[in-house]
Amino acid sequence: MTHPDPAPTPDPSPHPGFLWRDPDPRPSYDVVIVGGGGHGLATAYYLARNHGLTNVAVLEKGWLAGGNMARNTTIIRSNYLWDESAAIYEHSLKLWEGLSAELDYDLRFSQRGVLNLAHSLGDVREGRRRVNANRLNGVDAEWLDADEVKKLCPIIDVSDRARHPVLGATLQRRGGIAKHDHVAWALARRADAYGIDLIQGCEVTGFEITGGRVTGVRTSRGRIAAGKVALAAAGHTSVLAGLAGFRLPLQSHPLQALVSELLEPVLGCVVMSNAVHVYVSQAHKGELVMGAGIDAYNSYGQRGGVHVIEAQMAAALELFPIFSRVRVLRTWAGIVDVSPDASPIIGRTPVENLFVNAGWGTGGFKATPGSGWVYADTIAHGRPHPLAEPFALERFTTGALIDEHGAAAVAH
């Protein structure tokens, strides 16, 4: 069995007493990024690192990384089905593998492996298909039978008495988890060191558009002129698009998760099941981190419904009887932005120099560095990065969809 990291690894450098400035907005910037979560911060960092663009502001209506970045379950993997998805997520995973050293900050990135369980013959066929597709795309993937699943994760019930029998699983050994707040702090610190302004408590209330081209943003802290504007606001991106005069094919739903009390190391990998809508990992401190499928209704509420948690816990206890007496410590919900094909939207919009990065749904955290990399390149050059090109908004009129519902159903 693979075990969680037995002891914390030391930070590459001591925790600094100062992380980043808290500046007032300047009258104008070359680029204004709307949204101070993981994707917005990563975009700002790569604009400076890769393209030398530092006259940049990141506007956040609340506090940095206080939205989905603080409300996700930190799972990282790249084993998506379609070529386009595998390419962008694998690019992101490769960046994850060197990101702690690059940012000089311990992100607690732990490649403990990700299991996707199969409970029916249909699941088995789909899992084997995805393993083959991943291998063709150079993504590490394995198929395990039930005995091999039990060997890797002894606390899973693989008996024939289980309500959800485990017939096998896909495994990506390079997948794992990271510590989300460390990721946000590291990106923010580096962006600030480049001179980028990270402006908190600054809500965008409108856009200034002249001749079909964006020229600035109106905010709760005054007008800011902008050469280019980049949306990176996850579940609220469709609201911002509406302010700019166009619609995005996005629906926003609550996605719930919870953590348990602290436990000794007992779960050494990430385990997820699309069929029964539950996934679980054990965080570095020891709490179990669990999630389920999205709530069916549209909402911007960050609480969700008790019925989802009840169904999620019932499924978890069927798979892991050892958890029956574990107590829940806290629950929450994030607001996920879901597109019709469960794939992101990256690129230009009908408004010139206004860009969008949204629609990641349940897969946003794992894409953080890869998303920032390709979005920054798209903004800097005014044309899609090759990895982002298939995810353009125009695919919803051309019909060139990238349907990842199977890979993204609950596999966060």
Side-chain angles (χ1 to χ4, degrees):
M1 175 184 178
T2 305
H3 290 280
D5 301 337
T9 54
D11 285 351
S13 60
H15 193 287
F18 169 82
L19 284 174
W20 55 80
R21 298 168 294 121
D22 188 25
D24 291 324
R26 299 202 301 268
S28 67
Y29 295 91
D30 293 337
V31 181
V32 168
I33 299 169
V34 184
H39 288 219
L41 293 172
T43 302
Y45 167 67
Y46 286 118
L47 277 172
R49 176 193 181 276
N50 293 352
H51 306 284
L53 295 175
T54 58
N55 185 22
V56 176
V58 178
L59 310 183
E60 169 55 49
K61 70 175 182 179
W63 62 92
L64 290 181
N68 288 354
M69 191 64 175
R71 293 173 172 270
N72 70 88
T73 49
T74 76
I75 295 173
I76 296 167
R77 63 186 181 87
S78 63
N79 56 343
Y80 278 68
L81 176 62
W82 299 111
D83 297 353
E84 300 89 347
S85 304
I88 196 168
Y89 282 106
E90 178 65 9
H91 176 63
S92 191
L93 180 51
K94 288 177 178 177
L95 291 173
W96 277 113
E97 290 173 324
L99 203 57
S100 288
E102 179 180 328
L103 298 178
D104 189 27
Y105 204 110
D106 185 6
L107 305 182
R108 307 305 305 273
F109 178 49
S110 171
Q111 291 178 285
R112 56 188 62 188
V114 177
L115 278 174
N116 284 81
L117 301 179
H119 302 284
S120 66
L121 293 179
D123 287 349
V124 171
R125 287 192 293 268
E126 191 279 331
R128 288 182 178 274
R129 178 192 182 200
R130 197 186 324 167
V131 165
N132 290 333
N134 290 160
R135 289 176 173 173
L136 288 170
N137 280 312
V139 177
D140 64 303
E142 302 172 42
W143 174 258
L144 306 185
D145 62 26
D147 291 339
E148 291 170 322
V149 170
K150 185 71 172 179
K151 184 177 180 180
L152 182 72
C153 187
I155 64 174
I156 295 182
D157 182 4
V158 300
S159 70
D160 56 9
R161 301 183 304 275
R163 179 159 61 103
H164 305 293
V166 176
L167 304 183
T170 66
L171 170 64
Q172 183 176 26
R173 294 186 185 272
R174 291 169 55 239
I177 63 172
K179 195 163 177 57
H180 55 80
D181 46 4
H182 284 210
V183 177
W185 298 338
L187 289 170
R189 185 175 68 147
R190 283 300 179 191
D192 178 80
Y194 276 115
I196 291 170
D197 285 352
L198 308 177
I199 303 169
Q200 303 175 82
C202 185
E203 182 177 2
V204 171
T205 58
F207 298 90
E208 294 186 354
I209 299 171
T210 304
R213 178 175 183 163
V214 68
T215 57
V217 294
R218 296 189 294 273
T219 79
S220 57
R221 297 178 66 174
R223 175 188 181 275
I224 302 173
K228 297 179 180 179
V229 177
L231 306 182
H236 287 79
T237 305
S238 54
V239 176
L240 292 169
L243 294 176
F246 62 94
R247 295 184 63 185
L248 290 174
L250 296 175
Q251 292 190 15
S252 296
H253 298 261
L255 176 67
Q256 298 181 65
L258 58 86
V259 294
S260 74
E261 60 190 326
L262 302 183
L263 305 175
E264 292 294 326
V266 66
L267 180 61
C269 59
V270 180
V271 180
M272 50 185 58
S273 169
N274 287 13
V276 299
H277 281 274
V278 71
Y279 61 99
V280 57
S281 64
Q282 188 168 17
H284 297 89
K285 290 190 298 182
E287 64 265 46
L288 298 174
V289 184
M290 293 188 184
I294 64 175
D295 283 53
Y297 56 88
N298 300 121
S299 173
Y300 292 109
Q302 294 178 316
R303 295 181 63 181
V306 175
H307 66 289
V308 173
I309 295 175
E310 181 181 15
Q312 161 194 334
M313 297 304 296
L317 294 181
E318 289 289 340
L319 296 174
F320 303 98
I322 192 175
F323 295 161
S324 62
R325 299 179 70 179
V326 175
R327 290 173 291 187
V328 172
L329 185 64
R330 65 183 182 274
T331 70
W332 67 88
I335 307 304
V336 296
D337 43 331
V338 183
S339 71
D341 59 357
S343 289
I345 303 170
I346 315 168
R348 294 172 294 195
T349 71
V351 179
E352 187 178 353
N353 282 350
L354 178 61
F355 300 85
V356 64
N357 176 18
W360 292 92
T362 63
F365 179 76
K366 69 177 70 67
T368 298
S371 165
W373 182 291
V374 302
Y375 198 32
D377 186 89
T378 299
I379 296 163
H381 296 289
R383 52 92 184 104
H385 183 280
L387 291 177
E389 194 168 6
F391 300 99
L393 183 59
E394 290 77 18
R395 75 180 187 272
F396 298 106
T397 55
T398 65
L401 303 182
I402 307 167
D403 191 349
E404 286 289 0
H405 281 96
V410 71
H412 315 324

